[in-house]
Amino acid sequence: MAKEIIIGIDLGTTNSVVSYRQADGQIKVIPNPEGKPTTPSVVAFKPDGEQINGEAAKRQAVTNPDTVLSIKRKIGSSEKIRIQSLKKDFTPEEISAKILSYMKDYAEKNLGQSISKAVITVPAYFNDAQRQATKVAGEIAGLEVVRIINEPTAAALAYGLDKEHNEKILVFDLGGGTFDVSILEIGDGTFEVIATAGDNHLGGDDWDNEIVEWLKKEIEREHGLKLTDKMAIQRFREAAEKAKIDLSQLLETTISLPFIGMGASGPISYEGKLTRAKFLDLTKHLLARVEEPIRRALSDAKIKASDLEQVILIGGSTRMPAVQELVKKMTGKNPNLSVNPDEAVSIGA
Ligand code: ADP
Ligand code: MG
């Protein structure tokens, strides 16, 4: 019989990731059916009631009202989610369970064995009700949740920092829709969260939106046409996220949207360049919003930036060079970047 595997799941607001420990001790992220390490935390139902998950659900999010996004924001509350096509209400735990169940399923297929246990991560600021609800979601998905651990603690573990003594570290987490700063004190294998701060409504989606708004204006300028239909918005969002990701590596990218709308004299297409400089200009007000929570976390922890031993960057949006530079400027530390920022939490779990 195969050795029992306990998976580590980062159940994120925007994306989720599942990892496991190989027989040789190495931790591996398990790719989703599209071959990607991160899976959108999205569940949707087609008009006929068929459930779709992950990448496929994200691709039709704008056009299908029966799409559930960012369910993590509601976990632990008594709010109900109405799914029209099924004429049914779901609890946040039940929707979260569908994400977990999808991940458990592809992990099992990938590893060729059944999985019944998991460690799931939660934000450091989650209260008991939110932690309990996350556990329940795991149980509904058929997983025994052996441990709920804090995301910044998991990230620190992924960096092997449990071997450190009396160190204070800052974990900077900029994801898709949320921003969290945590200061941890590490001592002999234990982690204490001494301060948390952040912005529950700041993340990569906001950076994408600035590109979407810019694209709309560009097209209006070129064609005198305001595009507002859902299909066009879905395509703008996809193009915007792709351009943003390109600009983490390149100084310039081309956005091309063939047949994006119908003009007076037939279909219109858009093709244009976006430079990193222009992108920075469009988003500088967003970048400015990460500063205050860093200051607040340091002041709540009653320490100075110079008291920090390490700064860790997690969350996919920390791949943006401007974010890395700002954190470096504010903390005076070269952030540790040796683990993929969107995989670190799951690896630690
Ligand atoms: P979560 O908020 O669920 O923890 P992630 O940490 O996976 O999610 O962050 C998702 C965000 O990271 C998305 O907005 C995505 O566009 C962004 N992102 C991923 N890769 C890059 C990249 N190379 N450059 C800029 N942003 C990125
Ligand atoms: Mg995250």
Side-chain angles (χ1 to χ4, degrees):
M1 217 189 92
K3 200 165 163 282
E4 183 181 49
I5 285 173
I6 304 178
I7 50 176
I9 301 178
D10 168 8
L11 182 59
T13 306
T14 309
N15 292 311
S16 295
V17 183
V18 53
S19 305
Y20 81 110
R21 193 201 298 269
Q22 286 184 161
D24 66 3
Q26 276 219 61
I27 317 269
K28 287 273 167 307
V29 171
I30 304 171
N32 69 16
E34 277 88 3
K36 299 214 176 119
T38 60
T39 294
S41 307
V42 187
V43 183
F45 298 85
K46 291 191 190 167
D48 66 4
E50 190 199 330
Q51 185 183 320
I52 35 182
N53 292 79
E55 299 283 349
K58 178 179 175 175
R59 275 196 296 271
Q60 52 84 76
V62 180
T63 52
N64 179 2
D66 271 347
T67 303
V68 189
L69 294 144
S70 305
I71 191 64
K72 187 173 175 179
R73 293 188 192 283
K74 299 191 173 134
I75 197 98
S77 78
S78 53
E79 210 173 307
K80 294 280 193 297
I81 295 91
R82 182 74 182 169
I83 301 298
Q84 294 301 343
S85 66
L86 301 176
K87 297 191 173 56
K88 213 179 148 212
D89 290 331
F90 290 90
T91 62
E93 290 92 310
E94 288 169 330
I95 298 289
S96 301
K98 292 185 186 298
I99 298 167
L100 292 169
S101 174
Y102 175 68
M103 300 183 79
K104 171 181 186 280
D105 189 60
Y106 76 65
E108 286 178 334
K109 289 202 177 92
N110 189 284
L111 302 179
Q113 71 179 82
S114 66
I115 295 163
S116 61
K117 291 183 180 177
V119 172
I120 304 179
T121 58
V122 295
Y125 61 79
F126 258 27
N127 63 26
D128 284 343
Q130 291 168 305
R131 286 165 197 267
Q132 188 54 34
T134 302
K135 200 166 176 211
V136 168
E139 282 156 10
I140 300 171
L143 289 165
E144 181 195 330
V145 181
V146 295
R147 196 87 74 86
I148 293 280
I149 68 168
N150 289 330
E151 288 163 8
T153 300
L157 284 166
Y159 274 96
L161 300 186
D162 48 320
K163 285 148 205 97
E164 306 296 331
H165 302 279
N166 299 320
E167 266 194 26
K168 291 192 181 69
I169 66 161
L170 183 142
V171 182
F172 178 100
D173 180 357
L174 188 62
T178 57
F179 169 47
D180 299 310
V181 186
S182 314
I183 295 176
L184 308 184
E185 184 159 11
I186 309 174
D188 296 315
T190 64
F191 293 85
E192 197 192 336
V193 179
I194 54 176
T196 62
D199 185 334
N200 227 334
H201 289 277
L202 180 68
D205 293 349
D206 299 302
W207 270 258
D208 298 348
N209 281 338
E210 292 302 327
I211 302 181
V212 169
E213 291 310 312
W214 173 78
L215 273 172
K216 282 189 195 160
K217 281 191 207 123
E218 286 285 292
I219 291 172
E220 195 179 350
R221 198 169 51 81
E222 272 180 30
H223 301 277
L225 191 68
K226 253 202 179 97
L227 290 175
T228 52
D229 65 289
K230 289 192 168 137
M231 201 57 221
I233 301 293
Q234 175 80 39
R235 289 181 61 199
F236 285 152
R237 284 211 193 150
E238 280 166 20
E241 186 177 18
K242 186 181 170 294
K244 174 189 73 175
I245 290 173
D246 282 352
L247 292 174
S248 290
Q249 302 285 329
L250 309 169
L251 293 175
E252 182 178 289
T253 183
T254 301
I255 300 175
S256 121
L257 292 161
F259 307 114
I260 188 67
M262 221 32 195
S265 49
I268 58 166
S269 297
Y270 173 81
E271 183 163 314
K273 280 194 173 26
L274 180 62
T275 62
R276 189 186 281 177
K278 178 71 191 173
F279 174 56
L280 283 175
D281 189 47
L282 291 171
T283 56
K284 55 179 188 285
H285 60 293
L286 297 173
L287 192 63
R289 284 169 60 192
V290 308
E291 295 188 22
E292 205 272 325
I294 297 181
R295 275 189 227 109
R296 198 165 66 235
L298 288 167
S299 102
D300 288 355
K302 299 187 176 63
I303 59 170
K304 298 187 295 296
S306 56
D307 298 326
L308 294 167
E309 220 71 44
Q310 306 236 20
V311 174
I312 293 177
L313 298 186
I314 58 170
S317 300
T318 63
R319 291 182 190 264
M320 290 189 282
V323 171
Q324 296 174 9
E325 280 156 31
L326 182 71
V327 178
K328 192 170 152 183
K329 194 184 88 193
M330 288 194 64
T331 62
K333 288 254 147 21
N334 268 321
N336 199 332
L337 294 167
S338 56
V339 183
N340 281 335
D342 29 26
E343 298 173 8
V345 170
S346 166
I347 289 171

